[in-house]
Amino acid sequence: MIIALGLEYDGGAFHGFQAQRSVPTVQENLEAALSEVAGESVRVTAAGRTDAGVHATQQVVSFPTRAERPLEAWRRGVNSLVDSAVSVIWSRRAANGFNARFDALERRYVYIFHESETAPALLRGKVAWSPQRLDETAMSRACRCLLGEQDFSSFRAAGCQSNTPYRCVHSASVYRCGRQVVLDIAANAFLLRMVRNIAGSLRRVGLGQEDAGYLARLLACRDRTTAAPTAAAEGLYLVRVSYADFDVAYRPPPTLESA
């Protein structure tokens, strides 16, 4: 059978989702707990391989297993074994052949800038600090050019292993939530560090260092060296993954709910 799980995690506790040698990762921690509950070796596939420091409120993973367990055992049992920075928020049986990565229709991320004169203490590691006020209206106008299927080479990290730089962005907007300015973007898939690279360039627009046409010019260049530096990982959250067979609700980061 195929089991699907919904996860939330604090990315600051891990060196990314994907298992790596000699460093803690979400995948390694989760698979160890699942294997103990299943009584057999378990390997998971994730909808998105988030980078070190990137958080998730609604990551989705899937795995095949021969173990017959109540669905609640996959949630409560695993939560009793994983690191406190990871939590299984739901579990369900998926259709045969379901794959959390390849069956995903859309991934949605939010990137949070937090405006304050001094670096935040309580939100440290959960937001990207901005000591200057940002113009969210100009930033929202600038990101309209991202919509549709395009070549996103200008926002693609050098280590990206994708066969193509083309991605289809379904929605992109910037809005204010109190002292937080939020980039909300959804696409069929994303290139390595694509959202953080977009956020870094949008910050220049928000500071008035570039006009609203800046991102459009960057897209046309198709050259990563022309864009702004990559924005910090701690401001980024994976908040929803969409599938044709079942609905996964949007879960906002706690920093937005409490803003």
Side-chain angles (χ1 to χ4, degrees), residues 67-105:
E68 293 284 351
R69 302 285 186 273
L71 285 176
E72 273 298 280
W74 296 116
R75 186 175 68 86
R76 294 184 180 181
V78 171
N79 282 339
S80 70
L81 297 168
V82 291
D83 188 282
S84 60
V86 182
S87 182
V88 178
I89 54 179
W90 54 260
S91 58
R92 63 182 67 180
R93 184 166 179 172
N96 289 338
F98 173 79
N99 184 292
R101 179 185 177 190
F102 296 114
D103 288 342
L105 302 178

Side-chain angles (χ1 to χ4, degrees), residues 2-137:
I2 304 294
I3 300 296
L5 304 177
L7 310 177
E8 64 178 18
Y9 49 82
D10 177 357
F14 303 98
H15 287 253
F17 181 89
Q18 191 172 6
Q20 304 171 53
R21 291 183 179 180
S22 306
V23 293
T25 65
V26 179
Q27 182 178 8
E28 180 184 36
N29 190 258
L30 177 64
E31 288 178 345
L34 284 169
S35 297
E36 187 166 340
V37 171
E40 63 182 13
S41 179
V42 172
R43 294 291 178 267
V44 302
T45 298
R49 298 174 180 177
T50 52
D51 293 335
V54 176
H55 314 293
T57 61
Q58 191 72 271
Q59 170 75 277
V60 178
V61 303
S62 62
F63 59 94
T65 181
R66 295 187 297 270
E68 293 284 351
R69 302 285 186 273
L71 285 176
E72 273 298 280
W74 296 116
R75 186 175 68 86
R76 294 184 180 181
V78 171
N79 282 339
S80 70
L81 297 168
V82 291
D83 188 282
S84 60
V86 182
S87 182
V88 178
I89 54 179
W90 54 260
S91 58
R92 63 182 67 180
R93 184 166 179 172
N96 289 338
F98 173 79
N99 184 292
R101 179 185 177 190
F102 296 114
D103 288 342
L105 302 178
E106 179 181 86
R107 284 90 169 166
R108 181 178 176 186
Y109 284 86
V110 298
Y111 191 92
I112 304 173
F113 294 98
H114 183 81
E115 298 173 345
S116 60
E117 292 183 0
T118 57
L122 296 179
L123 295 179
R124 183 171 179 260
K126 302 297 187 297
V127 292
W129 175 42
S130 177
Q132 301 91 11
R133 184 173 177 85
L134 300 171
D135 183 345
E136 73 277 11
T137 302

Side-chain angles (χ1 to χ4, degrees), residues 108-115 127-128 134-137 139-140 143 172-185 195 199 202 235-237 239 250 252-253 255-257 259:
R108 181 178 176 186
Y109 284 86
V110 298
Y111 191 92
I112 304 173
F113 294 98
H114 183 81
E115 298 173 345
V127 292
L134 300 171
D135 183 345
E136 73 277 11
T137 302
M139 294 167 73
S140 192
C143 71
S173 63
V174 176
Y175 58 88
R176 177 173 293 278
C177 186
R179 289 189 296 168
Q180 295 173 354
V181 173
V182 183
L183 165 63
D184 188 328
I185 185 168
V195 179
L202 278 173
L236 184 59
Y237 293 78
V239 297
Y250 165 65
T255 51
L256 290 183
E257 294 175 322

Side-chain angles (χ1 to χ4, degrees), residues 146-177:
L146 301 173
L147 298 177
E149 185 168 355
Q150 301 185 68
D151 183 334
F152 284 92
S153 293
S154 292
F155 303 107
R156 180 184 190 179
C160 183
Q161 298 178 353
S162 175
N163 292 327
T164 173
Y166 282 85
R167 293 294 185 269
C168 184
V169 173
H170 301 156
S171 63
S173 63
V174 176
Y175 58 88
R176 177 173 293 278
C177 186

